[in-house]
Amino acid sequence: MMMRALAVFFLFMFSLLNEGFPRIFVAQWQDAITPVAVDYIKRSISKAQSEEGSVFILELNTPGGLESSMREIVQEFQKTTIPVVVFVYPSGGRAASAGAIITISADIAAMAPGTNIGAAHPVQIGGEGQNDVMKEKVLQDTLAFVRSIAREKGRNVEVVESMVKKSISLTPEEALKANIIDLIATDRIDLLNKLNGRIVEKHGRKIILKTEGVQVYQISNSLREEFLNLVTNPTIAYMLLLIGFYGIFFELYNPGSIVPGAVGIISLLLGLYGLGVVGVNW
């Protein structure tokens, strides 16, 4: 009885001590910004919050992606109470297009040497026939969005606008000098060392980051996310749409075949999900 009581006491004390330790959660995304990226980053931030993480770091390497998915990720950064760091990594990587806007929306933006950021001019899918008025509307909407983010995060509004309007792209040194990012770090260890002691203002309160000697938790992609990431590649998404249309047409011309229709509907839904038209629940 005494041994059981002691065991419970020590477990209780250990849980109290464990709660006092800051914890850092790291997510990695090295692909296009798609609905899968949104699901993964949402899940990662939710995990960091539920387990009382002190900092959330997103290691990002992306050519860009869907504007709707980018906005959802930015909204998640804004909602969370945990300081968010976006680290453009590894060397040779980039935060282009939607990735550039995601990076500047972080509480702290960092880049590794040999990376680049920018080229964020909005491009509409299948927008060849789009008239000039609609293109201008899309551009102005994006410009207003990035201006709002840049002002809130204390970044250079003019340069951020040039990333969108003129598609300029910057090296880490140029981005740091232009006040687009906050620091340059060679790797994760260097990043954690440089983050230590920095002050982040979040939801009206100032947070001092403690990152030296803190335990780091890596958040991996689930099997579901790995599969959906494959089918949401823009090229594969278009192929799925074509397979979907042809499968359904074949079923209509040959009623009762079943297989072409079933394959067509599944392919069509996956293709629409990949382009951000329907949610994963479909």
Side-chain angles (χ1 to χ4, degrees), residues 80-105:
T80 183
T81 56
I82 302 173
V84 173
V85 179
V86 172
F87 182 29
V88 184
Y89 180 82
S91 182
R94 56 181 168 167
S97 193
I101 300 174
I102 289 170
T103 303
I104 67 166
S105 70

Side-chain angles (χ1 to χ4, degrees), residues 77-78 83-87 99-111 117 146-161 163 170 175-183 195 198-202:
F77 287 178
Q78 300 288 70
V84 173
V85 179
V86 172
F87 182 29
I101 300 174
I102 289 170
T103 303
I104 67 166
S105 70
D107 299 306
I108 295 179
M111 294 175 69
I117 184 172
V146 297
R147 277 199 303 269
S148 177
I149 293 169
R151 285 183 183 133
E152 183 187 353
K153 301 299 178 183
R155 309 202 189 282
N156 190 321
V157 176
E158 289 182 4
V159 176
V160 171
E161 280 192 319
M163 285 183 178
L170 306 174
L176 184 64
K177 185 177 179 181
N179 190 28
I180 296 300
I181 63 171
D182 302 292
L183 59 94
L195 288 175
R198 282 183 174 260
I199 299 173
V200 170
E201 191 163 337
K202 191 90 174 179

Side-chain angles (χ1 to χ4, degrees), residues 162-179:
S162 293
M163 285 183 178
V164 176
K165 194 182 292 185
K166 300 177 182 178
S167 289
I168 68 166
S169 192
L170 306 174
T171 66
E173 294 75 17
E174 290 168 342
L176 184 64
K177 185 177 179 181
N179 190 28

Side-chain angles (χ1 to χ4, degrees), residues 17-266:
L17 288 170
N18 196 41
E19 283 180 6
F21 293 141
R23 284 175 275 188
I24 296 170
F25 288 81
V26 178
Q28 293 177 314
W29 191 258
Q30 310 230 357
D31 219 317
I33 303 301
T34 63
V36 185
V38 177
D39 292 343
Y40 170 63
I41 291 169
K42 274 185 178 180
R43 179 173 67 83
S44 300
I45 291 175
S46 178
K47 181 177 176 65
Q49 281 201 163
S50 64
E51 298 190 19
E52 299 182 356
S54 57
V55 180
F56 173 74
I57 298 173
L58 173 63
E59 293 179 352
L60 185 65
N61 174 20
T62 179
L66 298 175
E67 187 260 1
S68 56
S69 297
M70 174 270 292
R71 285 184 181 254
E72 284 191 66
I73 291 169
V74 172
Q75 287 167 14
E76 287 301 308
F77 287 178
Q78 300 288 70
K79 285 192 296 184
T80 183
T81 56
I82 302 173
V84 173
V85 179
V86 172
F87 182 29
V88 184
Y89 180 82
S91 182
R94 56 181 168 167
S97 193
I101 300 174
I102 289 170
T103 303
I104 67 166
S105 70
D107 299 306
I108 295 179
M111 294 175 69
T115 58
N116 63 279
I117 184 172
H121 195 287
V123 177
Q124 292 295 104
I125 296 173
E128 290 81 3
Q130 198 177 43
N131 61 46
D132 292 338
V133 174
M134 183 56 69
K135 286 180 181 177
E136 185 64 21
K137 281 185 177 181
V138 172
L139 175 61
Q140 292 302 324
D141 180 61
T142 306
L143 284 171
F145 183 61
V146 297
R147 277 199 303 269
S148 177
I149 293 169
R151 285 183 183 133
E152 183 187 353
K153 301 299 178 183
R155 309 202 189 282
N156 190 321
V157 176
E158 289 182 4
V159 176
V160 171
E161 280 192 319
S162 293
M163 285 183 178
V164 176
K165 194 182 292 185
K166 300 177 182 178
S167 289
I168 68 166
S169 192
L170 306 174
T171 66
E173 294 75 17
E174 290 168 342
L176 184 64
K177 185 177 179 181
N179 190 28
I180 296 300
I181 63 171
D182 302 292
L183 59 94
I184 299 172
T186 54
D187 53 28
R188 189 185 296 176
I189 295 172
D190 188 33
L191 175 69
L192 293 176
N193 289 335
K194 289 179 176 178
L195 288 175
N196 193 56
R198 282 183 174 260
I199 299 173
V200 170
E201 191 163 337
K202 191 90 174 179
H203 295 267
R205 64 190 183 97
K206 291 185 177 179
I207 304 168
I208 301 174
L209 303 186
K210 295 178 182 178
T211 56
E212 278 189 3
V214 176
Q215 191 165 5
V216 176
Y217 294 82
Q218 180 84 39
I219 304 173
S220 302
N221 286 24
S222 65
L223 287 174
R224 169 179 166 275
E225 287 163 347
E226 290 283 0
F227 169 72
L228 290 175
N229 190 37
L230 175 67
V231 300
T232 53
N233 180 292
T235 304
I236 294 176
Y238 275 118
M239 286 177 62
L240 287 168
L241 283 179
L242 288 173
I243 293 169
F245 287 132
Y246 282 119
I248 291 169
F249 287 149
F250 190 85
E251 179 69 31
L252 291 173
Y253 280 114
N254 299 274
S257 301
I258 300 176
V259 174
V263 171
I265 290 170
I266 292 169

